């Protein structure tokens, strides 16, 4: 036990030596990002929400448009979810947008419109986890609060020569301890940003630029020459296969769009009507039953248009897409879905939607800008 404590104190002493050179390097090399020019906690919070799972250069125009439309907590709290989704379209992970609105409402009703200024207070808000709380508290409120994201994990494991799987809870807990020890002192917000900046620009997943690194003298992986092999990650389990059908249902010049329930993989997003089918189901046979149950329409003439594939984090979707016509004079009756609209195909993708819907619409020649999401690559 004593040895473990000694080694952890030793690590903390070692890591604290990077503080000064890292901050000096950050002062001279930091990227000029628009949210770094702001001291408004609200603007910083929005940037942190957008940066999760999304590249910096992708986020910049989204952040600028979002701040223009919703310049403060009050305007976000009062906005319609659809307006927020529209500005979010292309960023993916729409739960972030829903949580932002929910949290903004709480800030207005319970905190007089001011963001809580401690990590603890921030974590009470929906969608704010340990990372975001640490980021906002340190950057916006100058609190000595740590943060850990993918970049910081990479930097720490290399600096300290951690050669265990970084998915292990004990390893992550240990890294939070290290981050807490490192952030203590002047300029905690800059220190956290410097760590992430180092991971995004020099200590990159492949081919880290060690000769240019300000903390190479303190780096175990640099000494041993195995930075490329760290951090050690557990192999991801294969996403589970999932089959579904979707229908392009025409009425005159318009097609039917439906909004998904608030729970589930595509909560609150618009899509072509359809649903999941079993691994051995005949897609066309099931289509009629699914549409009757979900939207109350009897379909005739279902023509197979093709199939698309989409990989979510844990699911591998194969979606079979049909062009259909509904019997005349029928009305849409929704079962679990939230809402429906008849829209022109060219405007369908202006509604908040997910990747599979975008791909399905491409089968009909309807396109829009590709998704901005780049899962697993953050803050680069
Ligand atoms: Fe990363 Fe190389 Fe710097 Fe070590 S020396 S922290 S591996 S960039």
């Amino acid at each position: 036990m004593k040895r473990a404590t000694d080694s952890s104190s030793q690590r903390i002493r070692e890591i604290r030596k990077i503080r000064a050179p890292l901050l000096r390097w950050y002062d001279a090399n930091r990227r000029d990002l628009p949210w770094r020019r702001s001291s408004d906690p609200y603007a910083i919070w929005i940037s942190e929400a957008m940066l999760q799972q999304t590249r910096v250069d992708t986020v910049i125009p989204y952040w600028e448009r979002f701040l223009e439309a919703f310049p403060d907590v009050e305007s976000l709290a009062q906005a319609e979810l659809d307006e927020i989704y529209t500005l979010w379209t292309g960023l993916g992970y729409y739960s972030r947008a829903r949580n932002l609105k929910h949290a903004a409402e709480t800030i207005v009703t319970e905190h007089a419109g001011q963001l809580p200024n401690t990590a603890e207070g921030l974590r009470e808000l929906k969608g704010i986890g340990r990372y975001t709380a640490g980021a906002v508290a340190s950057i916006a409120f100058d609190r000595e609060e740590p943060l850990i994201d993918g970049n910081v994990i990479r930097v720490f494991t290399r600096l300290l020569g951690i050669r265990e799987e970084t998915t292990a809870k004990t390893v992550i807990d240990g890294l939070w301890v290290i981050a807490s020890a490192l952030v203590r002192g002047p300029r905690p917000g800059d220190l956290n940003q410097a760590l992430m900046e180092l991971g995004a620009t020099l200590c990159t997943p492949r081919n880290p630029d060690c000769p240019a690194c300000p903390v190479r003298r303190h780096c175990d992986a640099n000494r041993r020459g195995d930075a490329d092999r760290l951090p050690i990650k557990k192999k991801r389990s294969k996403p589970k296969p999932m089959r579904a059908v979707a229908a392009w249902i025409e009425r005159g010049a318009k097609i039917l769009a439906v909004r998904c329930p608030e729970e589930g993989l595509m909560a609150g997003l618009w899509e072509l009507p359809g649903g999941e089918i079993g691994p051995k189901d005949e897609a066309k046979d099931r289509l009629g039953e699914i549409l009757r149950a979900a939207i109350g329409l009897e379909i005739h003439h279902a023509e197979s248009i093709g199939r698309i594939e989409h990989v979510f984090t844990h699911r591998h979707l194969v979606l079979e897409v049909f062009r259909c016509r509904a019997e005349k004079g029928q009305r849409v009756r929704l079962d679990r879905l939230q809402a429906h609209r008849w829209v022109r195909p060219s405007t369908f993708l202006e509604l908040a939607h997910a990747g599979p819907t975008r791909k399905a619409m491409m089968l009909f020649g309807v396109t829009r800008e590709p998704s901005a999401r780049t899962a697993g690559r953050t803050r680069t």
Side-chain angles (χ1 to χ4, degrees):
M1 184 65 181
K2 172 130 193 340
R3 278 177 58 189
T5 312
D6 286 350
S7 92
S8 137
S9 319
Q10 170 73 14
R11 277 183 165 173
I12 287 169
R13 271 198 302 279
E14 276 305 308
I15 201 89
R16 280 191 63 80
K17 291 181 187 162
I18 74 167
R19 238 184 162 277
L22 183 62
L23 280 169
R24 268 198 305 278
W25 170 81
Y26 181 66
D27 289 341
N29 295 284
R30 63 192 229 162
R31 289 171 293 178
D32 178 27
L33 304 176
W35 44 89
R36 287 188 178 157
R37 289 176 229 134
S38 173
S39 56
D40 176 5
Y42 168 75
I44 292 166
W45 168 44
I46 301 298
S47 73
E48 289 301 332
M50 288 185 168
L51 285 163
Q52 288 165 34
Q53 307 294 329
T54 312
R55 296 171 63 96
V56 161
D57 51 2
T58 299
V59 166
I60 292 172
Y62 279 89
W63 181 85
E64 287 169 342
R65 284 194 294 267
F66 199 94
L67 267 286
E68 207 177 305
F70 312 119
D72 48 35
V73 177
E74 284 78 12
S75 54
L76 180 58
Q78 285 164 15
E80 293 294 327
L81 194 51
D82 262 343
E83 291 175 77
I84 302 172
Y85 275 164
T86 301
L87 284 171
W88 204 270
T89 299
L91 271 180
Y93 298 110
Y94 285 82
S95 57
R96 293 180 293 173
R98 278 199 304 284
N99 289 339
L100 280 177
K101 173 166 168 60
H102 191 288
E105 289 167 352
T106 308
I107 294 166
V108 169
T109 52
E110 296 177 20
H111 301 277
Q114 303 296 313
L115 255 81
N117 64 9
T118 62
E120 205 184 358
L122 287 160
R123 286 193 70 180
E124 305 267 304
L125 299 170
K126 187 144 186 185
I128 297 195
R130 196 171 179 184
Y131 163 80
T132 309
V136 177
S138 63
I139 299 168
F141 299 112
D142 217 24
R143 301 267 181 194
E144 293 177 353
E145 290 288 350
L147 59 75
I148 295 273
D149 73 346
N151 283 320
V152 176
I153 288 174
R154 189 167 58 254
V155 170
F156 279 170
T157 51
R158 289 172 175 177
L159 277 169
L160 298 167
I162 295 173
R163 293 175 179 81
E164 296 160 70
E165 274 183 3
T166 47
T167 38
K169 186 175 178 308
T170 46
V171 173
I172 295 295
D173 288 348
L175 294 182
W176 276 103
V177 172
I178 300 284
S180 306
L182 181 61
V183 80
R184 278 200 305 274
R187 303 176 60 195
D190 283 348
L191 192 280
N192 280 336
Q193 292 190 87
L195 268 178
M196 293 189 286
E197 190 87 343
L198 185 71
T201 60
L202 294 183
C203 196
T204 47
R206 278 177 289 280
N207 304 320
D209 190 356
C210 301
C213 178
V215 295
R216 64 187 177 282
R217 285 183 45 233
H218 308 281
C219 180
D220 186 80
N222 181 45
R223 267 193 300 276
R224 295 184 189 223
D226 66 352
D228 260 335
R229 292 197 286 282
L230 298 179
I232 296 171
K233 292 183 182 163
K234 197 175 171 181
K235 277 217 169 104
R236 273 200 184 166
S237 52
K238 254 175 111 178
K240 281 192 185 158
M242 172 188 181
R243 289 181 74 214
V245 285
W248 164 292
I249 303 174
E250 297 168 350
R251 178 187 277 175
K254 296 188 173 175
I255 58 166
L256 184 61
V258 292
R259 191 171 194 175
C260 302
E262 273 305 330
E263 304 293 322
L265 208 51
M266 304 218 256
L269 301 181
W270 292 88
E271 62 173 9
L272 295 170
E276 192 169 347
I277 61 174
K280 295 201 173 121
D281 284 349
E282 184 57 51
K284 199 165 172 176
D285 292 349
R286 289 283 287 123
L287 181 70
E289 295 165 31
I290 285 174
L291 295 177
R292 200 175 304 125
I295 55 173
L297 290 187
E298 291 295 336
I299 295 301
H300 67 93
H301 184 73
E303 175 198 353
S304 173
I305 298 297
R307 65 168 60 171
I308 60 100
E309 297 193 25
H310 190 87
V311 180
F312 296 95
T313 314
H314 302 295
R315 309 295 296 271
H316 182 156
L317 169 71
V318 175
L319 180 68
E320 306 207 21
V321 185
F322 295 84
R323 183 199 297 270
C324 307
R325 274 198 293 276
E327 303 277 358
K328 282 212 170 90
Q330 299 182 85
R331 290 176 67 90
V332 173
R333 281 181 290 101
L334 299 180
D335 175 27
R336 289 180 60 246
L337 296 161
Q338 279 183 30
H340 80 281
R341 280 187 199 171
W342 291 95
V343 295
R344 290 190 181 279
S346 57
T347 57
F348 190 111
L349 295 180
E350 289 171 15
L351 302 171
H353 62 275
T357 303
R358 183 172 47 81
K359 291 179 182 172
M361 295 298 285
M362 282 171 74
L363 295 176
F364 298 91
V366 180
T367 56
R368 198 171 190 269
E369 288 295 297
S371 167
R373 203 189 73 192
T374 51
R377 300 190 61 191
T378 58
R379 285 183 177 270
T380 52

